[in-house]
Amino acid sequence: IPVLMADTEEKRTIYGDLVSYAEPGNPDAIATAIRRIAEEYHRHSEQAQINSSEVRTTYSWEAEETRMGALYDRLLGLEATN
């Protein structure tokens, strides 16, 4: 399923090219983005299959566990040097 999000720096940083964006609060931009998604649905569904694999690995609990473990290790290392 194609995803349309408000175009913010934070969302672009997190989701990159995995989703489509529209200017928040701009009905014309939202409508244009929806039309573009509908017109390019075939391309979007092919891309969604590619993206779903990336999302499953990047945003999985296992990946989050690795990132959180690294963060805690770093923080504990910083505390140990003080």
Side-chain angles (χ1 to χ4, degrees):
I1 298 173
V3 175
L4 177 61
M5 292 187 161
D7 192 358
T8 65
E9 183 177 338
E10 295 82 13
K11 288 187 177 157
R12 283 194 178 266
T13 299
I14 294 169
Y15 299 105
D17 294 333
L18 298 175
V19 302
S20 296
Y21 299 95
E23 181 184 344
N26 182 336
D28 291 333
I30 295 168
T32 299
I34 291 170
R35 277 193 296 276
R36 187 175 55 245
I37 290 170
E39 290 167 359
E40 300 174 356
Y41 184 78
H42 181 69
R43 185 185 68 78
H44 282 281
S45 52
E46 288 175 352
Q47 188 64 43
Q49 290 177 350
I50 295 166
N51 293 349
S52 66
S53 175
E54 183 177 338
V55 167
R56 278 193 296 267
T57 55
T58 303
Y59 299 106
S60 69
W61 284 113
E62 292 81 10
E64 189 62 27
E65 177 184 23
T66 300
R67 285 190 291 271
M68 290 300 292
L71 173 63
Y72 280 112
D73 287 347
R74 193 173 75 237
L75 290 173
L76 290 172
L78 290 174
E79 288 179 3
T81 60
N82 288 334

